[in-house]
Amino acid sequence: MTKRRQVDDQTAAAYLTYMAVLEIRSMARRRKALKTWPDDDYVACIAWLSDLVHNLAGGVRPTRRWPPWREHKRPMYWTWNVAGPAGREWILATLEKGRLDWTPPPINDRR
């Protein structure tokens, strides 16, 4: 039995980016959406998944690329807050499959 491992935001972001690329490549080659996607439009699924993780790879760099309102102590804060329910579910399910324990940042409910 494989042990679970606690990870920080940088490790979670790197793992999620890697898994997203694998899923995107798989869908592109098979021309078929993931089983978790509600319909058979694999192009829409690829677009959704790439939109979800497009900030992750850049989010782990310590640069001042984002405006101050986007700066937080947790690199995954922005992605987690804009992911929506489906995105959050994908993030948690993907980390669960990798047997990685990660504590999500708080959700900002300001509207």
Side-chain angles (χ1 to χ4, degrees):
M1 182 173 199
T2 308
K3 261 178 106 174
R4 299 183 65 77
R5 182 170 64 117
Q6 183 70 36
V7 295
D8 61 8
D9 281 9
Q10 286 86 358
T11 303
Y15 181 78
L16 292 168
T17 301
Y18 174 74
M19 294 307 292
V21 170
L22 289 180
E23 290 183 15
I24 289 168
R25 287 176 62 196
S26 173
M27 286 184 283
R29 286 199 171 109
R30 294 181 319 138
R31 294 190 169 102
K32 186 175 177 185
L34 299 172
K35 292 178 183 171
T36 57
W37 190 248
D39 61 25
D40 61 352
D41 187 355
Y42 73 95
V43 175
C45 188
I46 288 171
W48 176 83
L49 192 54
S50 59
D51 284 346
L52 177 66
V53 300
H54 85 274
N55 282 327
L56 291 178
V60 297
R61 290 185 304 217
T63 63
R64 187 166 169 78
R65 183 175 157 198
W66 308 114
W69 58 269
R70 236 174 155 178
E71 290 179 5
H72 299 280
K73 294 182 193 284
R74 303 264 322 257
M76 286 285 291
Y77 181 88
W78 175 256
T79 300
W80 183 254
N81 273 273
V82 300
R88 287 186 203 99
E89 185 178 322
W90 180 85
I91 289 169
L92 293 175
T94 302
L95 292 170
E96 177 69 27
K97 282 186 236 171
R99 305 203 43 86
L100 301 175
D101 285 330
W102 172 73
T103 304
I107 295 175
N108 184 355
D109 285 330
R110 283 187 288 162
R111 292 169 205 213

